[in-house]
Amino acid sequence: MTTSDAGADRAPAPLTPSAPAGRPPVAGLLLAAGGGRRLGGRPKALLEYRGRPLVENAARVLRDGGCGPVHVVLGAAAGEVRARAELSGYAVTENPDWQAGMGTSLRAGLAALAGSGAGAVLVSLVDQPGIGAAAVARLVAAYEAGADLAAAAYEGRRGHPVLFGAAHWAGVAAGARGDRGARGLSRGARRRAHARRMRRRGRAVRHRHPGRPRQTRHGLRRPGQ
């Protein structure tokens, strides 16, 4: 696993959004390592979306929604993604074990955030372009209001993005195994956020369902098409 500042040679990192007094900022964690087996074997990060690599849009959504710092985990064709995508201002982590499943990328991202000073992490997936900055901002607002576990809800079902306070990171990383990483994360968030809501603080954020993109959905195209 290697970590670097993608914008070190090109542009300064954006300022970290301010959190209320006593509340550290929310870091964004974008899981973008997938090889896209169902999409012709092209890396998901490089699928074309509105004329640019999909990873650019997903990272920008986290930043515009109020996350900072924003970390991007790459895996499949990481060198090509770095060369083709504009990731200035984001921290990039390469996960050499990405083929072992999404859980490895989640663990790599959380490890990269150690010592960042973030009070929570908001985890998002690169292959959901229907998720916009408004959904991210609502989760950040839930954290600012006191929640340390929150998940977006679509048509009554909770999914990504999800937010975990820093106190939960070790447990989340320990439970992230194989390809169940993100799905298990969502189920855990649903159970724990519900318990928090029943007590005092758990938050479910409702937003239009983003759907799971296929080759032709949400304007996605394979590179070169």
Side-chain angles (χ1 to χ4, degrees):
M1 177 180 67
T2 59
T3 304
S4 67
D5 183 345
D9 298 327
R10 289 177 287 180
L15 293 176
T16 298
S18 299
R23 287 293 265 178
V26 176
L29 179 56
L30 177 63
L31 305 185
R37 289 188 300 272
R38 289 177 292 179
L39 296 165
R42 295 296 300 173
K44 292 179 180 181
L46 287 179
L47 289 174
E48 186 177 319
Y49 180 67
R50 296 179 178 175
R52 295 296 303 166
L54 182 59
V55 66
E56 292 182 8
N57 173 77
R60 182 171 57 251
V61 163
L62 290 177
R63 182 194 63 200
D64 292 351
C67 294
V70 173
H71 283 241
V72 180
V73 180
L74 301 179
E80 184 181 357
V81 175
R82 284 179 178 269
R84 295 184 55 183
E86 176 54 64
L87 296 176
S88 297
Y90 306 110
V92 175
T93 295
E94 292 188 18
N95 173 21
D97 300 320
W98 64 270
Q99 294 185 78
M102 195 180 297
T104 64
S105 292
L106 179 57
R107 293 199 305 273
L110 290 174
L113 284 168
S116 67
V121 62
L122 191 148
V123 181
S124 191
L125 308 180
V126 73
D127 62 351
Q128 295 191 347
I131 292 175
V136 172
R138 285 173 138 181
L139 284 171
V140 172
Y143 165 77
E144 291 174 346
D148 64 351
L149 290 168
Y154 308 98
E155 301 168 359
R157 300 182 63 183
R158 295 177 190 175
H160 284 83
V162 293
L163 179 145
F164 288 90
H168 299 279
W169 293 2
V172 169
R177 291 289 180 269
D179 229 5
R180 298 182 58 214
R183 290 193 293 273
L185 179 63
S186 295
R187 286 196 294 271
R190 179 169 62 249
R191 290 193 297 268
R192 292 192 291 272
H194 177 72
R196 295 288 291 179
R197 182 177 62 188
M198 293 299 292
R199 292 190 184 102
R200 278 184 304 121
R201 292 183 176 179
R203 307 299 173 92
V205 178
R206 298 189 178 276
H207 201 265
R208 183 177 63 84
H209 198 300
R212 290 290 254 175
R214 300 182 188 275
Q215 178 183 339
T216 58
R217 293 188 63 187
H218 296 293
L220 289 176
R221 300 175 60 187
R222 296 179 189 170
Q225 287 188 329

